Amino acid sequence: MLASLLNKFVCAVSFSTALWPGFPPLPFPRSRLPHWHLPWKSTGGIPQQVYDELVRYTQYSSAVYQPLCPNPLGNELVTEFTNLLTGVHGFVARDDGRQEVIVAFRGSQQLPDMLTDSNMLLIPLDSVGPPLNGSGDARVHAGFGVAFGSVSDLVLDIVVEQLRQYPSYSVVLTGHSMGGALAAIGGTLLKANATGAAVRVFTFGQPRTGDANFADLLDKLIGSDNVFRAVHTWDGVPTIIPRSLGYHHHSTEYWHFQEPPSRKNVRQCTGQEDPKCSAAVPSTGINLAHDVYFGQVMTTDATLCL
């Protein structure tokens, strides 16, 4: 059974690497399937409420891919934002029923370009947004940092204004792929500059975004209990940027380690780089698992905007 699943995975990866030839090939030949010692059996999964939240913000992260999204998940669209030079796009929405302001960042078809040598440099977090006291030596991916910096003033000003009008509301930042990296950077800067706001971050297929200092800072400011970094089975993007380059994931990973989508098939991982979770799977770059999260196709569902 396991060999059959792995063969299907290899076929999917072969297809994806054909589409993105710049990404690394399979780390093993098809004739030699690896014997990974992974915790396949569920240990009870995660609470249904947490699973439902993951599904909900997966839908926001999918909706933001649409060219027009007048009513994200049926809620109020506050504004959309776009920077044509960096390709950043997203929206700010407001859910009055849940008393939330939601900031969603679109993933990018330019992700392969973001992984070139020049963009892989780590730059100070202070250089990509408003001044940040206590950031220490926190550094982030140059490409992601510049991308967020191109919309940072606009996005943060809009969110702060929403909180001024609705002071009891909380803020959720979310995104898929590169959008997840932008949500992580944005959540850190927002929490640092609007400390009274309750902030949560939900990301899906997020690549490593910064160094260990950035990971520690994000966990400290937002709180690891308020950060939900989801990884779908074999998705290679979360580990495509290696730790050997100085990168380090922040907390808290929720690994959907096997199908079908269910709370019982999701594991809440420990710490920042849990060796018993997706970090144990060799990265194969962008693959089919990257395009679907919790049963939601990430780029094509226009019904989420009606």
Side-chain angles (χ1 to χ4, degrees), residues 52-73:
D52 291 343
E53 293 282 270
L54 288 167
V55 171
R56 179 175 186 80
Y57 297 108
T58 300
Q59 293 174 340
Y60 275 110
S61 295
S62 176
V64 75
Y65 277 99
Q66 299 308 307
L68 296 173
C69 195
N71 301 104
L73 275 64

PDB file of all heavy atoms in Angstrom, residues 52-73:
ATOM      1  N   ASP A  52     -11.636  23.153  11.452  1.00  0.00           N
ATOM      2  CA  ASP A  52     -12.579  24.023  10.750  1.00  0.00           C
ATOM      3  C   ASP A  52     -11.962  25.390  10.456  1.00  0.00           C
ATOM      4  O   ASP A  52     -12.219  25.990   9.404  1.00  0.00           O
ATOM      5  CB  ASP A  52     -13.856  24.196  11.567  1.00  0.00           C
ATOM      6  CG  ASP A  52     -14.682  22.913  11.654  1.00  0.00           C
ATOM      7  OD1 ASP A  52     -14.450  21.998  10.841  1.00  0.00           O
ATOM      8  OD2 ASP A  52     -15.557  22.831  12.547  1.00  0.00           O
ATOM      9  N   GLU A  53     -11.150  25.892  11.381  1.00  0.00           N
ATOM     10  CA  GLU A  53     -10.469  27.165  11.152  1.00  0.00           C
ATOM     11  C   GLU A  53      -9.458  27.043  10.011  1.00  0.00           C
ATOM     12  O   GLU A  53      -9.341  27.946   9.172  1.00  0.00           O
ATOM     13  CB  GLU A  53      -9.760  27.619  12.432  1.00  0.00           C
ATOM     14  CG  GLU A  53     -10.692  27.995  13.567  1.00  0.00           C
ATOM     15  CD  GLU A  53     -11.299  29.378  13.370  1.00  0.00           C
ATOM     16  OE1 GLU A  53     -10.710  30.369  13.820  1.00  0.00           O
ATOM     17  OE2 GLU A  53     -12.377  29.454  12.749  1.00  0.00           O
ATOM     18  N   LEU A  54      -8.726  25.948   9.971  1.00  0.00           N
ATOM     19  CA  LEU A  54      -7.781  25.731   8.877  1.00  0.00           C
ATOM     20  C   LEU A  54      -8.507  25.710   7.532  1.00  0.00           C
ATOM     21  O   LEU A  54      -8.055  26.318   6.557  1.00  0.00           O
ATOM     22  CB  LEU A  54      -7.022  24.422   9.092  1.00  0.00           C
ATOM     23  CG  LEU A  54      -5.988  24.422  10.223  1.00  0.00           C
ATOM     24  CD1 LEU A  54      -5.540  22.998  10.538  1.00  0.00           C
ATOM     25  CD2 LEU A  54      -4.781  25.284   9.861  1.00  0.00           C
ATOM     26  N   VAL A  55      -9.633  25.022   7.481  1.00  0.00           N
ATOM     27  CA  VAL A  55     -10.411  24.966   6.241  1.00  0.00           C
ATOM     28  C   VAL A  55     -10.903  26.362   5.861  1.00  0.00           C
ATOM     29  O   VAL A  55     -10.845  26.765   4.693  1.00  0.00           O
ATOM     30  CB  VAL A  55     -11.593  23.994   6.390  1.00  0.00           C
ATOM     31  CG1 VAL A  55     -12.533  24.093   5.193  1.00  0.00           C
ATOM     32  CG2 VAL A  55     -11.088  22.563   6.549  1.00  0.00           C
ATOM     33  N   ARG A  56     -11.374  27.105   6.840  1.00  0.00           N
ATOM     34  CA  ARG A  56     -11.924  28.439   6.575  1.00  0.00           C
ATOM     35  C   ARG A  56     -10.878  29.355   5.942  1.00  0.00           C
ATOM     36  O   ARG A  56     -11.140  30.017   4.931  1.00  0.00           O
ATOM     37  CB  ARG A  56     -12.442  29.058   7.876  1.00  0.00           C
ATOM     38  CG  ARG A  56     -13.010  30.461   7.694  1.00  0.00           C
ATOM     39  CD  ARG A  56     -13.615  31.001   8.974  1.00  0.00           C
ATOM     40  NE  ARG A  56     -14.276  32.279   8.740  1.00  0.00           N
ATOM     41  CZ  ARG A  56     -15.479  32.414   8.226  1.00  0.00           C
ATOM     42  NH1 ARG A  56     -16.173  31.351   7.878  1.00  0.00           N
ATOM     43  NH2 ARG A  56     -16.010  33.612   8.042  1.00  0.00           N
ATOM     44  N   TYR A  57      -9.688  29.396   6.508  1.00  0.00           N
ATOM     45  CA  TYR A  57      -8.683  30.332   5.988  1.00  0.00           C
ATOM     46  C   TYR A  57      -7.975  29.783   4.750  1.00  0.00           C
ATOM     47  O   TYR A  57      -7.394  30.559   3.985  1.00  0.00           O
ATOM     48  CB  TYR A  57      -7.727  30.741   7.108  1.00  0.00           C
ATOM     49  CG  TYR A  57      -8.485  31.488   8.182  1.00  0.00           C
ATOM     50  CD1 TYR A  57      -8.740  30.897   9.416  1.00  0.00           C
ATOM     51  CD2 TYR A  57      -9.030  32.739   7.922  1.00  0.00           C
ATOM     52  CE1 TYR A  57      -9.495  31.555  10.374  1.00  0.00           C
ATOM     53  CE2 TYR A  57      -9.791  33.405   8.877  1.00  0.00           C
ATOM     54  CZ  TYR A  57     -10.020  32.809  10.096  1.00  0.00           C
ATOM     55  OH  TYR A  57     -10.786  33.463  11.030  1.00  0.00           O
ATOM     56  N   THR A  58      -8.068  28.472   4.535  1.00  0.00           N
ATOM     57  CA  THR A  58      -7.685  27.935   3.232  1.00  0.00           C
ATOM     58  C   THR A  58      -8.550  28.569   2.147  1.00  0.00           C
ATOM     59  O   THR A  58      -8.070  28.929   1.068  1.00  0.00           O
ATOM     60  CB  THR A  58      -7.868  26.406   3.192  1.00  0.00           C
ATOM     61  OG1 THR A  58      -7.061  25.803   4.186  1.00  0.00           O
ATOM     62  CG2 THR A  58      -7.469  25.843   1.837  1.00  0.00           C
ATOM     63  N   GLN A  59      -9.829  28.729   2.439  1.00  0.00           N
ATOM     64  CA  GLN A  59     -10.752  29.302   1.458  1.00  0.00           C
ATOM     65  C   GLN A  59     -10.436  30.770   1.182  1.00  0.00           C
ATOM     66  O   GLN A  59     -10.497  31.217   0.036  1.00  0.00           O
ATOM     67  CB  GLN A  59     -12.186  29.122   1.949  1.00  0.00           C
ATOM     68  CG  GLN A  59     -12.621  27.666   1.991  1.00  0.00           C
ATOM     69  CD  GLN A  59     -13.983  27.468   2.622  1.00  0.00           C
ATOM     70  OE1 GLN A  59     -14.481  28.319   3.353  1.00  0.00           O
ATOM     71  NE2 GLN A  59     -14.600  26.326   2.350  1.00  0.00           N
ATOM     72  N   TYR A  60     -10.091  31.531   2.202  1.00  0.00           N
ATOM     73  CA  TYR A  60      -9.659  32.912   1.964  1.00  0.00           C
ATOM     74  C   TYR A  60      -8.396  32.940   1.102  1.00  0.00           C
ATOM     75  O   TYR A  60      -8.264  33.771   0.190  1.00  0.00           O
ATOM     76  CB  TYR A  60      -9.382  33.625   3.288  1.00  0.00           C
ATOM     77  CG  TYR A  60     -10.594  34.229   3.940  1.00  0.00           C
ATOM     78  CD1 TYR A  60     -11.115  33.691   5.118  1.00  0.00           C
ATOM     79  CD2 TYR A  60     -11.224  35.350   3.400  1.00  0.00           C
ATOM     80  CE1 TYR A  60     -12.227  34.250   5.733  1.00  0.00           C
ATOM     81  CE2 TYR A  60     -12.333  35.916   4.006  1.00  0.00           C
ATOM     82  CZ  TYR A  60     -12.837  35.362   5.176  1.00  0.00           C
ATOM     83  OH  TYR A  60     -13.943  35.915   5.776  1.00  0.00           O
ATOM     84  N   SER A  61      -7.462  32.036   1.397  1.00  0.00           N
ATOM     85  CA  SER A  61      -6.206  32.002   0.651  1.00  0.00           C
ATOM     86  C   SER A  61      -6.415  31.553  -0.786  1.00  0.00           C
ATOM     87  O   SER A  61      -5.601  31.861  -1.659  1.00  0.00           O
ATOM     88  CB  SER A  61      -5.208  31.071   1.353  1.00  0.00           C
ATOM     89  OG  SER A  61      -4.855  31.586   2.616  1.00  0.00           O
ATOM     90  N   SER A  62      -7.498  30.832  -1.037  1.00  0.00           N
ATOM     91  CA  SER A  62      -7.867  30.467  -2.402  1.00  0.00           C
ATOM     92  C   SER A  62      -8.610  31.602  -3.090  1.00  0.00           C
ATOM     93  O   SER A  62      -8.357  31.916  -4.259  1.00  0.00           O
ATOM     94  CB  SER A  62      -8.732  29.202  -2.389  1.00  0.00           C
ATOM     95  OG  SER A  62      -9.174  28.870  -3.688  1.00  0.00           O
ATOM     96  N   ALA A  63      -9.520  32.255  -2.367  1.00  0.00           N
ATOM     97  CA  ALA A  63     -10.327  33.331  -2.951  1.00  0.00           C
ATOM     98  C   ALA A  63      -9.465  34.469  -3.482  1.00  0.00           C
ATOM     99  O   ALA A  63      -9.793  35.096  -4.496  1.00  0.00           O
ATOM    100  CB  ALA A  63     -11.309  33.865  -1.905  1.00  0.00           C
ATOM    101  N   VAL A  64      -8.337  34.730  -2.825  1.00  0.00           N
ATOM    102  CA  VAL A  64      -7.514  35.879  -3.208  1.00  0.00           C
ATOM    103  C   VAL A  64      -6.837  35.679  -4.567  1.00  0.00           C
ATOM    104  O   VAL A  64      -6.331  36.631  -5.163  1.00  0.00           O
ATOM    105  CB  VAL A  64      -6.479  36.182  -2.100  1.00  0.00           C
ATOM    106  CG1 VAL A  64      -5.345  35.162  -2.105  1.00  0.00           C
ATOM    107  CG2 VAL A  64      -5.948  37.602  -2.210  1.00  0.00           C
ATOM    108  N   TYR A  65      -6.846  34.456  -5.086  1.00  0.00           N
ATOM    109  CA  TYR A  65      -6.303  34.214  -6.425  1.00  0.00           C
ATOM    110  C   TYR A  65      -7.233  34.727  -7.525  1.00  0.00           C
ATOM    111  O   TYR A  65      -6.815  34.852  -8.676  1.00  0.00           O
ATOM    112  CB  TYR A  65      -6.074  32.717  -6.645  1.00  0.00           C
ATOM    113  CG  TYR A  65      -4.771  32.187  -6.093  1.00  0.00           C
ATOM    114  CD1 TYR A  65      -4.722  31.542  -4.865  1.00  0.00           C
ATOM    115  CD2 TYR A  65      -3.581  32.311  -6.806  1.00  0.00           C
ATOM    116  CE1 TYR A  65      -3.534  31.038  -4.356  1.00  0.00           C
ATOM    117  CE2 TYR A  65      -2.392  31.814  -6.310  1.00  0.00           C
ATOM    118  CZ  TYR A  65      -2.373  31.177  -5.084  1.00  0.00           C
ATOM    119  OH  TYR A  65      -1.186  30.686  -4.593  1.00  0.00           O
ATOM    120  N   GLN A  66      -8.487  34.995  -7.204  1.00  0.00           N
ATOM    121  CA  GLN A  66      -9.432  35.415  -8.232  1.00  0.00           C
ATOM    122  C   GLN A  66      -9.160  36.857  -8.661  1.00  0.00           C
ATOM    123  O   GLN A  66      -8.826  37.703  -7.831  1.00  0.00           O
ATOM    124  CB  GLN A  66     -10.864  35.287  -7.713  1.00  0.00           C
ATOM    125  CG  GLN A  66     -11.247  33.872  -7.334  1.00  0.00           C
ATOM    126  CD  GLN A  66     -10.968  32.883  -8.449  1.00  0.00           C
ATOM    127  OE1 GLN A  66     -11.402  33.069  -9.585  1.00  0.00           O
ATOM    128  NE2 GLN A  66     -10.221  31.828  -8.136  1.00  0.00           N
ATOM    129  N   PRO A  67      -9.305  37.153  -9.965  1.00  0.00           N
ATOM    130  CA  PRO A  67      -9.054  38.526 -10.440  1.00  0.00           C
ATOM    131  C   PRO A  67      -9.951  39.551  -9.757  1.00  0.00           C
ATOM    132  O   PRO A  67      -9.532  40.673  -9.489  1.00  0.00           O
ATOM    133  CB  PRO A  67      -9.352  38.441 -11.939  1.00  0.00           C
ATOM    134  CG  PRO A  67      -9.221  36.997 -12.283  1.00  0.00           C
ATOM    135  CD  PRO A  67      -9.638  36.238 -11.065  1.00  0.00           C
ATOM    136  N   LEU A  68     -11.189  39.160  -9.483  1.00  0.00           N
ATOM    137  CA  LEU A  68     -12.133  40.016  -8.768  1.00  0.00           C
ATOM    138  C   LEU A  68     -12.771  39.198  -7.656  1.00  0.00           C
ATOM    139  O   LEU A  68     -13.227  38.079  -7.892  1.00  0.00           O
ATOM    140  CB  LEU A  68     -13.216  40.551  -9.709  1.00  0.00           C
ATOM    141  CG  LEU A  68     -12.754  41.478 -10.839  1.00  0.00           C
ATOM    142  CD1 LEU A  68     -13.917  41.775 -11.776  1.00  0.00           C
ATOM    143  CD2 LEU A  68     -12.175  42.768 -10.277  1.00  0.00           C
ATOM    144  N   CYS A  69     -12.802  39.767  -6.468  1.00  0.00           N
ATOM    145  CA  CYS A  69     -13.404  39.057  -5.340  1.00  0.00           C
ATOM    146  C   CYS A  69     -14.228  40.050  -4.527  1.00  0.00           C
ATOM    147  O   CYS A  69     -13.793  40.534  -3.474  1.00  0.00           O
ATOM    148  CB  CYS A  69     -12.319  38.407  -4.480  1.00  0.00           C
ATOM    149  SG  CYS A  69     -12.967  37.170  -3.323  1.00  0.00           S
ATOM    150  N   PRO A  70     -15.440  40.381  -5.017  1.00  0.00           N
ATOM    151  CA  PRO A  70     -16.229  41.437  -4.375  1.00  0.00           C
ATOM    152  C   PRO A  70     -16.766  41.079  -2.995  1.00  0.00           C
ATOM    153  O   PRO A  70     -17.026  41.972  -2.190  1.00  0.00           O
ATOM    154  CB  PRO A  70     -17.374  41.661  -5.367  1.00  0.00           C
ATOM    155  CG  PRO A  70     -17.489  40.375  -6.113  1.00  0.00           C
ATOM    156  CD  PRO A  70     -16.099  39.839  -6.216  1.00  0.00           C
ATOM    157  N   ASN A  71     -16.928  39.786  -2.716  1.00  0.00           N
ATOM    158  CA  ASN A  71     -17.477  39.361  -1.421  1.00  0.00           C
ATOM    159  C   ASN A  71     -16.741  38.117  -0.924  1.00  0.00           C
ATOM    160  O   ASN A  71     -17.258  37.002  -1.031  1.00  0.00           O
ATOM    161  CB  ASN A  71     -18.972  39.064  -1.537  1.00  0.00           C
ATOM    162  CG  ASN A  71     -19.771  40.260  -2.002  1.00  0.00           C
ATOM    163  OD1 ASN A  71     -20.192  40.328  -3.157  1.00  0.00           O
ATOM    164  ND2 ASN A  71     -19.971  41.216  -1.113  1.00  0.00           N
ATOM    165  N   PRO A  72     -15.546  38.277  -0.370  1.00  0.00           N
ATOM    166  CA  PRO A  72     -14.781  37.103   0.078  1.00  0.00           C
ATOM    167  C   PRO A  72     -15.537  36.293   1.126  1.00  0.00           C
ATOM    168  O   PRO A  72     -15.851  36.797   2.199  1.00  0.00           O
ATOM    169  CB  PRO A  72     -13.511  37.722   0.671  1.00  0.00           C
ATOM    170  CG  PRO A  72     -13.416  39.086   0.063  1.00  0.00           C
ATOM    171  CD  PRO A  72     -14.829  39.535  -0.124  1.00  0.00           C
ATOM    172  N   LEU A  73     -15.886  35.064   0.772  1.00  0.00           N
ATOM    173  CA  LEU A  73     -16.668  34.175   1.628  1.00  0.00           C
ATOM    174  C   LEU A  73     -17.958  34.845   2.095  1.00  0.00           C
ATOM    175  O   LEU A  73     -18.455  34.610   3.195  1.00  0.00           O
ATOM    176  CB  LEU A  73     -15.852  33.702   2.834  1.00  0.00           C
ATOM    177  CG  LEU A  73     -14.945  32.478   2.605  1.00  0.00           C
ATOM    178  CD1 LEU A  73     -13.848  32.771   1.599  1.00  0.00           C
ATOM    179  CD2 LEU A  73     -14.373  31.966   3.905  1.00  0.00           C
TER     180      LEU A  73
END
